[in-house]
Amino acid sequence: MNLYFRPKLLQSRLTSVFRSATTVSEVVQNEQVDIDDTENSLAREAEIEKKRNISRLSAAHYNVINGRRPYKEPMALPHLTVKYNRKMYGKYGAASGVNPNICWPSKLDIEEKQEYEAVAYPFTIKEMMTMVAEKREQERLKTQQRDNEIAAKFAKLGQWKKELKEKIAKKEAEVEAAKLKKERLIEEVRRHFGFTLDPRDERFQEMLAKREKEQKKREKQARLEAREKLMIAKLQQKKVEGVSE
Amino acid sequence: MGSRQITEKALTMLRSLPRVSLGNIRDNPGYKKNPKRGRGQHGGDKHGAGNKGSGQRQNYMRLGYETGNNPFYLRMPHEHYYKGHHLRRQYPPFSLHELQLIIDKDRLDISKPIDIASIVKSGMYNFTPDEKHFGINLTDVGADCFAAKINIEVQWASEQVIAAIEKMGGVITTAYYDPHSLYLLRDPKKFFESGQSIPRRMIPPPDAIEYYTSAKSRGYLADPEEISKDRLRLAQKYGYELHVLEDDPNYEMLCERKDPRQIFYGLEPGWVINLKDQCILKPKDSELQRFFAS
């Protein structure tokens, strides 16, 4: 197995292995320091406190655990930000040493916020209310218009139904009349020949055409006569009128 | 087994082992070098992209494509009523039954006005503003056994719920909070510890304005006179006798409402709350005051 110990790692491991030995040497050093500051009881107290701290926490963590801000002076770039300082004030109060006036937005912040709000909230509540009222009114008008249309159409419905029925009946009657006429013609042709002939037969067709022709002729004659009669009647009337005058 | 025995055993083992010689020791690290020199960043390997195919070429198929199958996202018919569902406001429900439960368990103080902050604090309700949750929808489950006189503010309530609360002599208001204010209400401590000044509550969006300005839904922007008229109308509709608020011993509490710009009861926008020092800092700058009053 290839193992590579970095010198730093090795050092730390060694110190952890020989912890008891190093603490002993430290104590020797500290005793020397104590001797230097024998008059200053405060410093001594501090020293004792330091020795009592066997938590092995880093200074920052030790501070946090004891309800103090972790760093007195900024250690990284984020520690210079307003957000971080606000947090320090919010969490550790006046003891954090932060001036609380950074808790409020600056002039620039306010301007930015107002600009944002002008875009995000373009309408006031009143304006929105009127807009909604207008929309509702338009919807109502639209439904009402449609209702009116339907009511007007419904009023005419009976008449329309009647008209439609009449139209259908008329058409049916016409069809029936045409059918009857045709049947009559066929019957006549059959009578002429004296036996039932296939309507597709040539002779039948010929006869039919002839009959139809005759029929048309007769009709025409009838029309002419009718017109003549009418004319005569008119003339007579005129004569009568002339006499009376 | 004594320690002597162990030592003996170890020694015998050691004696039986071959001597360290050139034949059985490992090379020094870095002694041997690979004669091949691969090209590229990782010595000519495949950079973790695998062998062959779309994976190695990193020409991934478009999202949802199933190499010719009818894709899953197209298999279901189009359902138009879900259109824009990811943008709509949601109000996670909270029933009157649950409300009664937290009152009975004394998790909620009904001697004070109740808002979403106090309901979240009870631990029986939670919501996530970032999932488009816009607060409580108080539902009518348990409306028949609801028996508490409260002044409550929720974000959505049906007519039955309003009737159930007013029947008991209580007061209900529906109020809109923008997502940012909802974050504050969900965890006020976190906000106060961030050391910021309390912001203003924002106005509702145009599609919510109708609900929050109508007296029928007891909107916080509705005309109070209209509301009192509608209280009577609702009492007649549901057939109960309306309690006269003015004669109530808790009149003060029942009439307490938040300002449309206010987020927390008793705290105005612009104030800074410090929990460590137990103090409130108020802005004195006129410009700040104007901003927070607008």
Side-chain angles (χ1 to χ4, degrees):
Chain A
M1 196 172 67
N2 290 326
L3 269 182
Y4 174 62
F5 283 120
R6 270 178 294 166
K8 211 175 164 187
L9 198 73
L10 202 68
Q11 211 174 16
S12 71
R13 286 234 171 155
L14 280 176
T15 49
S16 68
V17 169
F18 303 111
R19 178 168 300 282
S20 55
T22 48
T23 44
V24 168
S25 71
E26 250 177 43
V27 168
V28 172
Q29 275 178 0
N30 289 346
E31 271 175 356
Q32 284 173 349
V33 172
D34 271 356
I35 291 156
D36 289 346
D37 299 354
T38 34
E39 289 89 35
N40 200 340
S41 59
L42 267 176
R44 203 166 149 193
E45 279 299 307
E47 198 60 46
I48 291 165
E49 276 305 304
K50 206 178 166 188
K51 275 183 218 162
R52 275 181 187 158
N53 176 14
I54 55 162
S55 66
R56 293 197 233 161
L57 288 170
S58 66
H61 285 158
Y62 189 73
N63 281 342
V64 169
I65 289 288
N66 288 291
R68 293 188 294 267
R69 62 179 295 180
Y71 306 108
K72 286 280 187 306
E73 61 264 356
M75 304 290 279
L77 277 177
H79 296 176
L80 299 168
T81 56
V82 172
K83 191 179 173 186
Y84 179 80
N85 281 296
R86 275 179 183 170
K87 257 187 186 172
M88 288 300 109
Y89 178 74
K91 207 150 197 189
Y92 305 108
S96 66
V98 176
N99 188 349
N101 70 5
I102 60 156
C103 296
W104 285 281
S106 66
K107 257 181 195 174
L108 203 71
D109 291 338
I110 290 178
E111 269 172 28
E112 263 180 19
K113 186 106 189 158
Q114 279 169 339
E115 196 186 336
Y116 170 79
E117 278 169 19
V119 177
Y121 305 95
F123 307 113
T124 61
I125 291 170
K126 268 270 160 60
E127 281 169 358
M128 280 192 278
M129 279 167 78
T130 49
M131 270 155 66
V132 169
E134 265 172 31
K135 203 180 127 200
R136 285 267 171 263
E137 183 62 24
Q138 270 177 2
E139 273 173 20
R140 197 187 61 78
L141 279 178
K142 209 176 165 189
T143 14
Q144 200 180 19
Q145 206 179 340
R146 177 81 185 130
D147 283 352
N148 289 346
E149 268 174 32
I150 289 170
K153 280 176 183 168
F154 199 77
K156 283 184 189 166
L157 186 65
Q159 197 197 333
W160 284 344
K161 266 185 181 170
K162 211 174 125 192
E163 274 173 17
L164 184 69
K165 271 177 191 163
E166 274 171 11
K167 202 173 149 188
I168 289 166
K170 199 180 160 191
K171 214 168 188 176
E172 271 176 2
E174 268 174 20
V175 169
E176 189 67 35
K179 203 177 151 191
L180 278 176
K181 194 180 164 187
K182 190 113 189 172
E183 270 175 11
R184 207 179 61 232
L185 274 175
I186 290 166
E187 185 61 38
E188 271 175 26
V189 171
R190 209 177 51 210
R191 217 175 286 151
H192 175 83
F193 284 111
F195 55 90
T196 31
L197 206 61
D198 188 4
R200 279 166 297 189
D201 198 306
E202 228 170 75
R203 286 176 293 173
F204 187 91
Q205 294 291 339
E206 247 172 50
M207 197 64 206
L208 201 67
K210 214 169 136 190
R211 287 272 168 193
E212 266 176 12
K213 225 173 185 177
E214 269 174 23
Q215 180 79 16
K216 267 183 190 166
K217 221 175 187 176
R218 232 179 287 147
E219 273 173 13
K220 205 175 172 185
Q221 193 72 27
R223 273 211 299 278
L224 276 173
E225 271 174 18
R227 210 189 287 166
E228 235 168 59
K229 265 183 191 170
L230 211 79
M231 285 281 277
I232 287 162
K234 266 186 187 171
L235 279 173
Q236 275 178 347
Q237 209 173 0
K238 261 188 185 176
K239 260 184 193 169
V240 171
E241 275 172 12
V243 169
S244 66
E245 276 174 16
Chain B
M1 218 195 284
S3 63
R4 172 170 286 191
Q5 273 176 318
I6 294 171
T7 336
E8 294 269 308
K9 206 175 178 185
L11 278 172
T12 47
M13 231 167 103
L14 211 62
R15 275 183 212 113
S16 68
L17 281 169
R19 288 174 74 87
V20 175
S21 70
L22 278 176
N24 58 15
I25 56 170
R26 192 184 286 276
D27 291 335
N28 281 336
Y31 166 73
K32 249 191 180 172
K33 274 186 181 171
N34 190 3
K36 282 180 185 171
R37 187 185 69 86
R39 297 174 187 183
Q41 196 182 359
H42 296 294
D45 76 344
K46 297 188 167 51
H47 291 247
N51 196 17
K52 284 213 283 192
S54 132
Q56 185 181 21
R57 280 156 214 136
Q58 305 202 337
N59 53 352
Y60 301 113
M61 289 169 292
R62 67 185 154 80
L63 210 62
Y65 185 62
E66 296 179 17
T67 61
N69 293 344
N70 189 12
F72 181 76
Y73 76 96
L74 290 177
R75 241 177 260 175
M76 269 65 80
H78 177 65
E79 302 193 16
H80 66 89
Y81 39 82
Y82 287 142
K83 197 179 172 190
H85 71 281
H86 60 300
L87 299 170
R88 289 189 205 160
R89 282 189 306 282
Q90 291 181 32
Y91 297 89
F94 187 68
S95 67
L96 279 173
H97 185 258
E98 284 168 294
L99 184 65
Q100 186 64 54
L101 183 77
I102 57 171
I103 290 168
D104 292 344
K105 284 188 171 181
D106 210 11
R107 285 175 160 205
L108 195 64
D109 183 10
I110 58 166
S111 65
K112 283 175 192 157
I114 299 160
D115 66 346
I116 187 163
S118 52
I119 291 174
V120 169
K121 200 180 151 225
S122 77
M124 293 286 278
Y125 181 84
N126 209 351
F127 67 106
T128 40
D130 50 334
E131 287 175 28
K132 304 268 171 211
H133 292 175
F134 276 73
I136 297 171
N137 172 15
L138 197 61
T139 58
D140 58 354
V141 176
D144 293 334
C145 53
F146 185 76
K149 193 160 82 176
I150 49 171
N151 176 6
I152 191 169
E153 186 193 73
V154 290
Q155 279 61 57
W156 204 270
S158 63
E159 198 187 59
Q160 290 95 314
V161 169
I162 294 169
I165 284 169
E166 285 178 359
K167 190 180 178 182
M168 288 295 127
V171 178
I172 183 168
T173 320
T174 52
Y176 173 84
Y177 291 94
D178 56 309
H180 186 56
S181 334
L182 285 169
Y183 276 117
L184 309 199
L185 285 164
R186 199 168 77 124
D187 198 350
K189 187 168 169 254
K190 190 179 167 193
F191 173 72
F192 295 148
E193 280 184 348
S194 74
Q196 297 170 61
S197 53
I198 300 172
R200 298 164 305 156
R201 196 199 319 183
M202 289 293 122
I203 58 173
D207 58 339
I209 202 85
E210 200 180 13
Y211 187 82
Y212 292 109
T213 52
S214 86
K216 266 187 187 173
S217 54
R218 305 289 184 268
Y220 73 123
L221 298 171
D223 185 9
E225 249 178 59
E226 291 289 317
I227 287 180
S228 61
K229 269 184 210 165
D230 204 76
R231 275 168 64 87
L232 186 66
R233 184 191 68 82
L234 207 63
Q236 285 167 353
K237 181 176 176 183
Y238 281 83
Y240 57 85
E241 204 174 314
L242 193 65
H243 292 246
V244 183
L245 282 183
E246 284 80 358
D247 302 343
D248 203 277
N250 293 335
Y251 176 69
E252 291 273 300
M253 187 278 281
L254 289 174
C255 282
E256 203 178 329
R257 298 276 190 292
K258 281 180 196 172
D259 187 77
R261 284 295 199 193
Q262 197 179 358
I263 296 171
F264 300 106
Y265 275 116
L267 302 178
E268 282 173 25
W271 290 4
V272 173
I273 316 297
N274 198 297
L275 297 176
K276 182 78 193 299
D277 297 347
Q278 301 268 309
C279 68
I280 294 174
L281 308 177
K282 297 171 189 176
K284 274 191 175 170
D285 182 39
S286 61
E287 201 168 318
L288 276 175
Q289 281 174 344
R290 222 178 306 128
F291 172 66
F292 283 113
S294 66

